[in-house]
Amino acid sequence: KRTALIKCILMAASSSIAIQPQIAPAQASEISAPAANQLGFSELQTKSNELIEAGQLEAAIPLLKELIKSVSDSPEASETKMDFPMFIIGTGHIQRYATSRQKSELNEALTWYYRLQTEYPESERNKDADLKRIDLLRVLGQFDEASDLMIRMLSNQYTFRLQRAQRGKTPNTE
């Protein structure tokens, strides 16, 4: 019975981490990580937004990391929220996994989602990050941790509510 449940979870996880087709490297942004640290704050914002809007999350990762670094180094760091860039970086690593099938990308995505939750516990992005974390944990075979996270989400320990379709992703607890 447990084996059937695990197969069902794996199939659900595989379908829920479907990512848009990857942009060919020639079409990706010309900005590399070393160039990202040469850009000013507004340029980083503009270029990363362009990439995000084009669905090129993977190409936006170095820019977003530099943006987070520049904000954390500034005196106004506490006033600038970086929850959205952290969420996008995590999602960008999922996009990388979709093409590389390197599980280290999933672990990196988890790291960013955990950081988001730690640094911005009241962020509205945490619900989506936690739903992605559940899927990532399933793919990585960490079923107990995925189930624990699902149970925490359903036990109203969060400041958000799941929509009906999102509640349908939960395991049968009979």
Side-chain angles (χ1 to χ4, degrees), residues 23-106:
I23 305 294
Q27 296 172 329
S29 171
E30 296 294 321
I31 297 173
S32 62
N37 65 11
Q38 301 299 317
L39 297 174
F41 184 81
S42 61
E43 287 178 292
L44 282 170
Q45 279 185 310
T46 301
K47 293 197 182 299
S48 61
N49 284 339
E50 289 171 1
L51 291 169
I52 292 166
E53 288 173 8
Q56 298 179 30
L57 306 184
E58 186 177 344
I61 290 174
L63 298 172
L64 294 170
K65 286 181 177 179
E66 187 63 31
L67 189 65
I68 291 169
K69 182 183 178 308
S70 70
V71 167
S72 65
D73 292 346
S74 77
E76 298 87 25
S78 62
E79 298 173 18
T80 308
K81 291 181 69 176
M82 290 283 104
D83 57 331
F84 182 67
M86 287 179 185
F87 178 78
I88 294 297
I89 290 170
T91 307
H93 283 287
I94 295 172
Q95 195 177 67
R96 280 186 181 167
Y97 169 76
T99 58
S100 72
R101 294 294 182 215
Q102 296 291 317
K103 289 196 175 182
S104 61
E105 294 296 342
L106 300 181

Coordinates of all heavy atoms in Angstrom, one line a residue, residues 23-106:
I23 N 15.2 28.2 -22.8 CA 15.7 29.1 -23.9 C 17.1 28.6 -24.3 O 17.9 28.3 -23.5 CB 15.7 30.6 -23.5 CG1 14.4 31.0 -22.9 CG2 16.3 31.5 -24.5 CD1 13.3 31.1 -23.9
A24 N 17.3 28.6 -25.6 CA 18.7 28.1 -26.0 C 19.7 29.1 -25.6 O 19.4 30.3 -25.4 CB 18.7 28.1 -27.6
P25 N 20.9 28.7 -25.2 CA 22.0 29.6 -24.7 C 22.2 30.8 -25.6 O 22.5 31.9 -25.1 CB 23.2 28.7 -24.6 CG 22.7 27.3 -24.5 CD 21.4 27.3 -25.3
A26 N 22.1 30.7 -26.9 CA 22.3 31.8 -27.8 C 21.3 32.9 -27.6 O 21.5 34.0 -27.8 CB 22.3 31.3 -29.2
Q27 N 20.1 32.5 -27.1 CA 19.0 33.4 -26.9 C 19.0 34.1 -25.5 O 18.4 35.0 -25.3 CB 17.6 32.8 -27.1 CG 17.4 32.3 -28.5 CD 16.1 31.5 -28.6 OE1 15.7 30.8 -27.6 NE2 15.5 31.5 -29.7
A28 N 19.8 33.5 -24.6 CA 19.8 33.9 -23.2 C 20.5 35.3 -23.2 O 21.2 35.7 -24.1 CB 20.6 32.9 -22.4
S29 N 20.4 35.9 -22.0 CA 21.0 37.3 -21.9 C 22.5 37.2 -22.0 O 23.1 36.2 -21.7 CB 20.6 37.8 -20.5 OG 21.3 38.9 -20.2
E30 N 23.0 38.3 -22.5 CA 24.5 38.4 -22.7 C 25.2 38.7 -21.3 O 26.4 38.8 -21.3 CB 24.8 39.5 -23.7 CG 24.3 39.3 -25.1 CD 25.0 38.1 -25.7 OE1 26.2 37.9 -25.5 OE2 24.3 37.3 -26.4
I31 N 24.4 39.0 -20.3 CA 25.0 39.4 -19.0 C 25.4 38.1 -18.3 O 24.6 37.2 -18.1 CB 24.0 40.2 -18.2 CG1 23.7 41.5 -18.9 CG2 24.6 40.5 -16.8 CD1 22.6 42.3 -18.3
S32 N 26.7 38.1 -17.8 CA 27.1 36.9 -17.0 C 27.3 37.4 -15.6 O 27.2 38.6 -15.3 CB 28.5 36.5 -17.6 OG 29.4 37.5 -17.5
A33 N 27.6 36.5 -14.7 CA 27.8 36.8 -13.3 C 28.8 37.8 -13.0 O 28.6 38.8 -12.3 CB 28.0 35.5 -12.5
P34 N 30.0 37.8 -13.7 CA 31.0 38.8 -13.4 C 30.5 40.2 -13.8 O 30.8 41.2 -13.2 CB 32.2 38.4 -14.3 CG 32.0 36.9 -14.5 CD 30.6 36.7 -14.5
A35 N 29.8 40.3 -14.9 CA 29.3 41.6 -15.4 C 28.2 42.1 -14.4 O 28.0 43.3 -14.3 CB 28.7 41.5 -16.8
A36 N 27.5 41.2 -13.8 CA 26.4 41.6 -12.9 C 26.8 42.4 -11.8 O 26.2 43.4 -11.4 CB 25.7 40.3 -12.3
N37 N 28.1 42.2 -11.3 CA 28.5 43.0 -10.1 C 29.0 44.4 -10.6 O 29.4 45.2 -9.7 CB 29.6 42.2 -9.3 CG 30.8 42.0 -10.1 OD1 31.1 42.5 -11.2 ND2 31.7 41.1 -9.5
Q38 N 29.0 44.6 -11.9 CA 29.4 45.9 -12.4 C 28.2 46.8 -12.6 O 28.3 48.0 -12.9 CB 30.2 45.8 -13.7 CG 31.4 45.0 -13.6 CD 32.4 45.5 -12.6 OE1 32.7 46.7 -12.6 NE2 33.0 44.7 -11.7
L39 N 27.0 46.3 -12.5 CA 25.8 47.1 -12.7 C 25.3 47.7 -11.5 O 25.5 47.2 -10.4 CB 24.7 46.1 -13.2 CG 24.9 45.4 -14.6 CD1 23.8 44.4 -14.8 CD2 25.1 46.4 -15.7
G40 N 24.7 48.9 -11.6 CA 24.1 49.6 -10.5 C 22.8 48.9 -10.1 O 22.2 48.1 -10.8
F41 N 22.2 49.3 -9.0 CA 21.0 48.7 -8.4 C 19.9 48.8 -9.4 O 19.2 47.8 -9.7 CB 20.6 49.4 -7.1 CG 19.5 48.8 -6.4 CD1 19.6 47.7 -5.7 CD2 18.2 49.4 -6.6 CE1 18.5 47.1 -5.0 CE2 17.1 48.8 -5.9 CZ 17.3 47.7 -5.2
S42 N 19.6 50.0 -10.0 CA 18.5 50.1 -10.9 C 18.7 49.3 -12.2 O 17.7 48.7 -12.7 CB 18.2 51.6 -11.2 OG 19.3 52.2 -11.9
E43 N 19.9 49.2 -12.7 CA 20.2 48.4 -13.8 C 20.0 46.9 -13.6 O 19.4 46.2 -14.4 CB 21.6 48.6 -14.3 CG 21.9 49.9 -15.0 CD 23.4 50.0 -15.4 OE1 24.2 50.1 -14.5 OE2 23.7 50.0 -16.6
L44 N 20.4 46.5 -12.4 CA 20.2 45.1 -12.0 C 18.7 44.8 -11.9 O 18.2 43.8 -12.4 CB 20.8 44.8 -10.6 CG 22.3 44.6 -10.5 CD1 22.7 44.6 -9.1 CD2 22.6 43.3 -11.2
Q45 N 17.9 45.7 -11.4 CA 16.4 45.5 -11.3 C 15.8 45.4 -12.7 O 15.0 44.6 -13.0 CB 15.8 46.7 -10.5 CG 15.9 46.6 -9.0 CD 15.1 47.7 -8.4 OE1 15.3 48.9 -8.7 NE2 14.2 47.4 -7.5
T46 N 16.2 46.4 -13.5 CA 15.6 46.4 -14.9 C 16.0 45.2 -15.7 O 15.1 44.6 -16.3 CB 16.2 47.7 -15.6 OG1 15.8 48.9 -14.9 CG2 15.6 47.8 -17.0
K47 N 17.2 44.8 -15.7 CA 17.7 43.7 -16.5 C 17.1 42.3 -15.9 O 16.7 41.5 -16.7 CB 19.2 43.6 -16.6 CG 19.7 44.8 -17.4 CD 21.1 44.5 -17.9 CE 21.7 45.7 -18.7 NZ 21.0 46.0 -19.9
S48 N 17.1 42.2 -14.6 CA 16.5 41.0 -14.1 C 15.0 40.9 -14.3 O 14.5 39.9 -14.6 CB 16.8 40.9 -12.6 OG 16.3 41.9 -11.8
N49 N 14.3 42.0 -14.2 CA 12.9 42.1 -14.5 C 12.6 41.7 -16.0 O 11.6 40.9 -16.3 CB 12.2 43.4 -14.3 CG 12.0 43.7 -12.8 OD1 11.9 42.8 -12.0 ND2 11.9 44.9 -12.4
E50 N 13.4 42.2 -16.9 CA 13.3 41.8 -18.3 C 13.4 40.3 -18.5 O 12.6 39.7 -19.2 CB 14.3 42.5 -19.2 CG 14.0 44.0 -19.3 CD 15.2 44.8 -20.0 OE1 16.2 44.1 -20.4 OE2 15.1 46.0 -20.1
L51 N 14.4 39.7 -17.9 CA 14.6 38.3 -18.0 C 13.5 37.5 -17.4 O 13.0 36.5 -17.9 CB 16.0 37.9 -17.4 CG 17.2 38.4 -18.1 CD1 18.5 38.2 -17.2 CD2 17.4 37.7 -19.4
I52 N 13.0 37.9 -16.2 CA 11.9 37.2 -15.5 C 10.7 37.3 -16.4 O 10.0 36.3 -16.6 CB 11.7 37.8 -14.1 CG1 12.9 37.5 -13.2 CG2 10.4 37.3 -13.5 CD1 12.9 38.4 -12.0
E53 N 10.4 38.4 -16.9 CA 9.2 38.6 -17.8 C 9.3 37.7 -19.0 O 8.3 37.3 -19.6 CB 8.9 40.0 -18.1 CG 8.5 40.9 -17.0 CD 8.4 42.4 -17.2 OE1 8.6 42.8 -18.4 OE2 8.1 43.1 -16.3
A54 N 10.5 37.5 -19.5 CA 10.7 36.6 -20.7 C 10.8 35.2 -20.3 O 10.9 34.3 -21.2 CB 12.0 37.0 -21.4
G55 N 10.6 34.8 -19.0 CA 10.6 33.4 -18.6 C 12.0 32.9 -18.5 O 12.2 31.7 -18.3
Q56 N 13.0 33.7 -18.5 CA 14.4 33.3 -18.5 C 15.0 33.4 -17.0 O 15.9 34.1 -16.8 CB 15.3 34.1 -19.4 CG 14.9 33.9 -20.9 CD 15.7 34.8 -21.8 OE1 16.9 35.0 -21.5 NE2 15.1 35.2 -22.9
L57 N 14.3 32.6 -16.2 CA 14.7 32.7 -14.7 C 16.1 32.2 -14.5 O 16.8 32.8 -13.7 CB 13.7 31.8 -13.9 CG 12.2 32.1 -14.1 CD1 11.4 31.3 -13.1 CD2 11.9 33.6 -13.9
E58 N 16.5 31.2 -15.2 CA 17.9 30.7 -15.1 C 18.9 31.8 -15.4 O 19.9 32.0 -14.7 CB 18.1 29.5 -16.0 CG 19.4 28.9 -15.8 CD 19.6 27.6 -16.7 OE1 18.6 27.1 -17.2 OE2 20.7 27.2 -16.9
A59 N 18.7 32.6 -16.4 CA 19.6 33.7 -16.8 C 19.5 34.8 -15.8 O 20.5 35.6 -15.7 CB 19.3 34.2 -18.2
A60 N 18.4 34.9 -15.1 CA 18.3 36.0 -14.1 C 19.0 35.7 -12.8 O 19.2 36.7 -12.0 CB 16.8 36.3 -13.9
I61 N 19.3 34.5 -12.5 CA 19.9 34.1 -11.2 C 21.1 35.0 -10.8 O 21.1 35.5 -9.7 CB 20.2 32.6 -11.2 CG1 18.9 31.8 -11.1 CG2 21.1 32.3 -10.0 CD1 19.1 30.3 -11.2
P62 N 22.1 35.1 -11.7 CA 23.3 35.9 -11.2 C 22.9 37.4 -10.9 O 23.5 38.0 -10.0 CB 24.3 35.8 -12.4 CG 23.7 35.0 -13.5 CD 22.4 34.5 -13.0
L63 N 22.0 37.9 -11.7 CA 21.6 39.3 -11.5 C 20.9 39.4 -10.2 O 21.1 40.4 -9.4 CB 20.7 39.8 -12.6 CG 21.3 39.8 -14.0 CD1 20.3 40.1 -15.1 CD2 22.5 40.8 -14.0
L64 N 20.0 38.5 -9.9 CA 19.2 38.5 -8.7 C 20.1 38.3 -7.4 O 19.9 39.0 -6.4 CB 18.1 37.5 -8.7 CG 17.0 37.8 -9.7 CD1 16.1 36.6 -9.9 CD2 16.2 39.0 -9.4
K65 N 21.1 37.4 -7.6 CA 22.0 37.2 -6.4 C 22.8 38.5 -6.2 O 23.0 38.8 -5.0 CB 22.9 36.0 -6.7 CG 22.3 34.7 -6.6 CD 23.2 33.6 -6.9 CE 22.6 32.2 -6.7 NZ 23.5 31.1 -7.0
E66 N 23.2 39.1 -7.2 CA 23.9 40.4 -7.1 C 23.0 41.5 -6.5 O 23.5 42.3 -5.6 CB 24.5 40.8 -8.4 CG 25.4 42.1 -8.3 CD 26.7 41.8 -7.4 OE1 27.2 40.7 -7.4 OE2 27.2 42.8 -6.8
L67 N 21.8 41.5 -6.9 CA 20.8 42.4 -6.3 C 20.6 42.2 -4.8 O 20.7 43.2 -4.0 CB 19.5 42.3 -7.1 CG 18.4 43.3 -6.8 CD1 18.8 44.7 -7.3 CD2 17.1 42.9 -7.5
I68 N 20.5 41.0 -4.4 CA 20.3 40.6 -3.0 C 21.6 41.1 -2.2 O 21.5 41.6 -1.1 CB 20.0 39.2 -2.8 CG1 18.6 38.9 -3.3 CG2 20.2 38.7 -1.4 CD1 18.3 37.4 -3.4
K69 N 22.7 40.8 -2.8 CA 24.0 41.1 -2.2 C 24.1 42.6 -2.0 O 24.5 43.1 -0.9 CB 25.2 40.6 -3.0 CG 26.5 40.9 -2.3 CD 27.7 40.3 -3.2 CE 29.0 40.6 -2.7 NZ 29.3 42.0 -2.4
S70 N 23.8 43.4 -3.0 CA 23.9 44.8 -3.0 C 22.9 45.4 -1.9 O 23.3 46.4 -1.2 CB 23.7 45.5 -4.3 OG 22.4 45.4 -4.7
V71 N 21.8 44.8 -1.8 CA 20.8 45.3 -0.8 C 21.3 45.0 0.6 O 21.2 45.8 1.5 CB 19.4 44.7 -1.1 CG1 18.5 45.0 0.1 CG2 18.8 45.4 -2.3
S72 N 21.8 43.7 0.8 CA 22.2 43.3 2.1 C 23.4 44.1 2.6 O 23.6 44.3 3.8 CB 22.5 41.8 2.2 OG 23.5 41.5 1.4
D73 N 24.2 44.6 1.6 CA 25.4 45.4 2.0 C 25.1 46.9 2.2 O 25.9 47.7 2.7 CB 26.4 45.4 0.8 CG 27.1 44.0 0.7 OD1 26.9 43.2 1.7 OD2 27.7 43.7 -0.3
S74 N 23.8 47.3 1.9 CA 23.5 48.7 2.0 C 22.9 49.1 3.4 O 22.4 48.2 4.1 CB 22.5 49.1 0.9 OG 21.2 48.7 1.3
P75 N 23.0 50.3 3.8 CA 22.5 50.7 5.1 C 21.0 50.6 5.2 O 20.4 50.4 6.2 CB 22.9 52.2 5.3 CG 23.8 52.5 4.1 CD 23.7 51.4 3.1
E76 N 20.3 50.7 4.0 CA 18.8 50.6 4.0 C 18.3 49.1 3.8 O 17.2 48.9 3.4 CB 18.3 51.4 2.8 CG 18.6 52.9 2.9 CD 19.9 53.2 2.3 OE1 20.4 52.5 1.4 OE2 20.5 54.2 2.7
A77 N 19.2 48.2 4.1 CA 18.9 46.8 3.8 C 17.6 46.3 4.5 O 16.8 45.6 3.9 CB 20.0 45.9 4.3
S78 N 17.3 46.8 5.7 CA 16.1 46.4 6.4 C 14.8 46.9 5.8 O 13.7 46.4 6.0 CB 16.2 46.8 7.9 OG 16.2 48.2 8.0
E79 N 14.9 48.0 5.0 CA 13.8 48.6 4.4 C 13.4 47.9 3.0 O 12.3 48.1 2.5 CB 14.0 50.1 4.2 CG 14.2 50.8 5.5 CD 14.6 52.3 5.2 OE1 14.4 52.8 4.1 OE2 15.2 52.9 6.2
T80 N 14.3 47.2 2.4 CA 14.1 46.7 1.1 C 13.9 45.2 1.2 O 14.7 44.4 1.7 CB 15.3 46.9 0.2 OG1 15.6 48.3 0.2 CG2 15.1 46.5 -1.2
K81 N 12.7 44.8 0.7 CA 12.3 43.3 0.8 C 12.9 42.6 -0.4 O 12.7 43.1 -1.5 CB 10.8 43.2 0.9 CG 10.2 43.6 2.2 CD 8.8 43.4 2.2 CE 8.5 42.0 2.3 NZ 7.1 41.6 2.5
M82 N 13.6 41.5 -0.2 CA 14.1 40.7 -1.2 C 13.5 39.3 -1.3 O 14.1 38.4 -1.8 CB 15.7 40.5 -1.0 CG 16.5 41.8 -1.2 SD 16.7 42.2 -2.9 CE 15.6 43.5 -3.2
D83 N 12.2 39.2 -0.8 CA 11.6 37.9 -0.9 C 11.2 37.5 -2.3 O 11.4 36.3 -2.6 CB 10.3 38.0 0.0 CG 9.3 39.0 -0.4 OD1 9.7 40.1 -0.9 OD2 8.1 38.8 -0.2
F84 N 10.8 38.4 -3.2 CA 10.6 38.0 -4.5 C 11.8 37.5 -5.3 O 11.8 36.4 -5.9 CB 9.9 39.1 -5.3 CG 9.5 38.7 -6.7 CD1 8.5 37.8 -7.0 CD2 10.1 39.3 -7.8 CE1 8.2 37.4 -8.3 CE2 9.8 39.0 -9.1 CZ 8.8 38.0 -9.3
P85 N 12.9 38.2 -5.2 CA 14.1 37.7 -5.9 C 14.6 36.3 -5.3 O 15.0 35.5 -6.1 CB 15.2 38.8 -5.6 CG 14.4 40.0 -5.4 CD 13.2 39.6 -4.7
M86 N 14.4 36.1 -4.0 CA 14.8 34.8 -3.4 C 13.9 33.7 -4.0 O 14.3 32.6 -4.3 CB 14.7 34.8 -1.9 CG 15.8 35.6 -1.2 SD 15.5 35.6 0.5 CE 16.8 36.7 1.0
F87 N 12.6 34.0 -4.1 CA 11.6 33.1 -4.7 C 12.0 32.7 -6.1 O 12.0 31.6 -6.5 CB 10.2 33.6 -4.6 CG 9.2 32.7 -5.2 CD1 8.7 31.6 -4.5 CD2 8.7 33.0 -6.4 CE1 7.8 30.7 -5.0 CE2 7.7 32.1 -7.0 CZ 7.3 31.0 -6.3
I88 N 12.3 33.8 -6.9 CA 12.6 33.6 -8.3 C 14.0 32.8 -8.5 O 14.1 31.9 -9.4 CB 12.7 34.9 -9.1 CG1 11.3 35.6 -9.1 CG2 13.3 34.7 -10.5 CD1 10.3 34.8 -9.9
I89 N 14.9 33.0 -7.6 CA 16.2 32.3 -7.7 C 15.9 30.8 -7.5 O 16.4 29.9 -8.2 CB 17.2 32.8 -6.7 CG1 17.7 34.2 -7.1 CG2 18.4 31.9 -6.6 CD1 18.6 34.9 -6.1
G90 N 15.1 30.5 -6.4 CA 14.7 29.1 -6.2 C 14.1 28.5 -7.4 O 14.4 27.4 -7.8
T91 N 13.1 29.2 -8.0 CA 12.4 28.7 -9.1 C 13.3 28.6 -10.4 O 13.2 27.7 -11.2 CB 11.2 29.6 -9.4 OG1 10.4 29.7 -8.2 CG2 10.3 29.1 -10.5
G92 N 14.3 29.5 -10.5 CA 15.3 29.4 -11.5 C 16.1 28.1 -11.5 O 16.5 27.5 -12.5
H93 N 16.4 27.7 -10.2 CA 17.1 26.4 -10.1 C 16.3 25.2 -10.5 O 16.8 24.3 -11.0 CB 17.7 26.3 -8.6 CG 18.9 27.1 -8.4 ND1 20.1 26.8 -8.9 CD2 19.0 28.3 -7.7 CE1 21.0 27.7 -8.5 NE2 20.3 28.7 -7.8
I94 N 15.0 25.3 -10.3 CA 14.1 24.3 -10.8 C 14.1 24.3 -12.3 O 14.2 23.2 -12.9 CB 12.6 24.5 -10.3 CG1 12.6 24.3 -8.7 CG2 11.7 23.5 -10.9 CD1 11.3 24.7 -8.1
Q95 N 14.2 25.5 -12.9 CA 14.3 25.5 -14.4 C 15.6 24.9 -14.8 O 15.6 24.2 -15.8 CB 14.2 27.0 -14.8 CG 13.9 27.2 -16.3 CD 13.8 28.7 -16.6 OE1 14.7 29.4 -16.5 NE2 12.5 29.1 -17.0
R96 N 16.7 25.1 -14.1 CA 17.9 24.5 -14.5 C 17.8 23.0 -14.4 O 18.4 22.3 -15.2 CB 19.1 25.0 -13.5 CG 19.6 26.3 -13.9 CD 20.8 26.6 -13.0 NE 21.3 27.9 -13.4 CZ 22.2 28.6 -12.7 NH1 22.7 28.1 -11.5 NH2 22.6 29.8 -13.1
Y97 N 17.2 22.5 -13.3 CA 17.0 21.1 -13.2 C 16.2 20.5 -14.3 O 16.5 19.4 -14.8 CB 16.2 20.8 -11.9 CG 15.8 19.3 -11.8 CD1 16.7 18.3 -11.5 CD2 14.5 19.0 -12.0 CE1 16.3 17.0 -11.4 CE2 14.1 17.6 -11.9 CZ 15.0 16.7 -11.6 OH 14.6 15.3 -11.6
A98 N 15.3 21.2 -14.9 CA 14.4 20.7 -16.0 C 15.3 20.4 -17.2 O 15.0 19.5 -17.9 CB 13.4 21.7 -16.3
T99 N 16.4 21.1 -17.4 CA 17.3 20.8 -18.5 C 18.4 19.9 -18.2 O 18.9 19.1 -19.0 CB 17.8 22.1 -19.2 OG1 18.5 22.8 -18.2 CG2 16.7 22.9 -19.7
S100 N 19.0 20.0 -16.9 CA 20.2 19.3 -16.6 C 19.9 18.0 -15.9 O 20.8 17.1 -15.9 CB 21.1 20.2 -15.7 OG 20.5 20.3 -14.4
R101 N 18.8 17.9 -15.2 CA 18.4 16.7 -14.4 C 19.4 16.5 -13.3 O 19.6 15.4 -12.7 CB 18.3 15.4 -15.2 CG 17.1 15.5 -16.1 CD 15.8 15.5 -15.4 NE 14.7 15.5 -16.3 CZ 13.6 16.2 -16.0 NH1 13.4 16.9 -14.9 NH2 12.5 16.1 -16.8
Q102 N 20.1 17.5 -12.9 CA 21.1 17.5 -11.7 C 20.3 17.8 -10.5 O 19.8 18.9 -10.3 CB 22.2 18.5 -11.9 CG 23.1 18.3 -13.1 CD 23.9 17.1 -12.9 OE1 24.5 16.9 -11.9 NE2 24.0 16.3 -14.0
K103 N 20.2 16.8 -9.6 CA 19.4 17.0 -8.3 C 20.0 18.1 -7.4 O 19.3 18.6 -6.6 CB 19.3 15.7 -7.6 CG 18.3 14.7 -8.4 CD 17.8 13.6 -7.5 CE 16.8 12.8 -8.3 NZ 16.2 11.8 -7.6
S104 N 21.3 18.4 -7.7 CA 21.9 19.5 -6.9 C 21.1 20.8 -7.1 O 21.1 21.7 -6.2 CB 23.4 19.6 -7.2 OG 23.5 20.0 -8.6
E105 N 20.5 21.0 -8.3 CA 19.7 22.2 -8.6 C 18.5 22.2 -7.7 O 18.1 23.3 -7.3 CB 19.4 22.2 -10.1 CG 20.5 22.4 -11.0 CD 21.3 23.7 -10.8 OE1 20.7 24.7 -10.2 OE2 22.4 23.8 -11.3
L106 N 17.9 21.0 -7.4 CA 16.7 21.0 -6.6 C 17.1 21.3 -5.1 O 16.4 22.0 -4.4 CB 16.1 19.6 -6.6 CG 15.6 19.2 -8.0 CD1 14.9 17.8 -7.9 CD2 14.6 20.2 -8.6

